[in-house]
Amino acid sequence: MSLLEVIKKDILSKNAFVDYLKEINERELALAHFSIGMYIRNKYLWGKDDNINELSCIYGVSTPDEISGKILREVYADLHNASHSSNPKR
């Protein structure tokens, strides 16, 4: 399992994170910078240059703040796309 998959799985295992990301709209995603974003940075990025380098190659950005933001957006999109596909419009 790749580092990105591990991080995403970790975030999705936290009900409070999932509930919050499902409740907010995309414009409010920046509000998660100091909660879920901080969790990502503290657990997976700060002091872990190998992780930063690996994720920088995926996202094309190099700072922990930028990387955590990209991961948050991806998890957010995954959650919202999954909820839309499970509730198709008739």
Side-chain angles (χ1 to χ4, degrees):
M1 185 178 300
S2 75
L3 173 60
L4 180 57
E5 291 170 327
V6 168
I7 295 170
K8 290 169 75 174
K9 184 177 179 179
D10 184 16
I11 294 167
L12 294 170
S13 74
K14 311 277 189 263
N15 290 334
F17 288 172
V18 171
D19 292 344
Y20 179 72
L21 290 172
K22 284 182 176 181
E23 289 174 9
I24 64 173
N25 66 51
E26 192 170 4
R27 292 184 311 273
E28 298 170 313
L29 196 52
L31 299 173
H33 177 79
F34 290 110
S35 57
I36 305 168
M38 184 179 295
Y39 175 82
I40 295 167
R41 291 188 298 279
N42 287 344
K43 186 168 182 179
Y44 295 102
L45 301 173
W46 293 122
K48 297 178 173 81
D49 291 340
D50 289 343
N51 289 357
I52 291 171
N53 291 334
E54 180 178 336
L55 295 166
S56 290
C57 290
I58 293 169
Y59 291 115
V61 296
S62 59
T63 68
D65 285 343
E66 293 170 312
I67 293 167
S68 65
K70 296 283 188 179
I71 294 169
L72 271 172
R73 287 199 173 284
E74 194 168 317
V75 171
Y76 179 87
D78 290 349
L79 282 171
H80 286 266
N81 289 337
S83 65
H84 289 293
S85 65
S86 66
N87 296 318
K89 293 181 181 179
R90 296 180 187 226

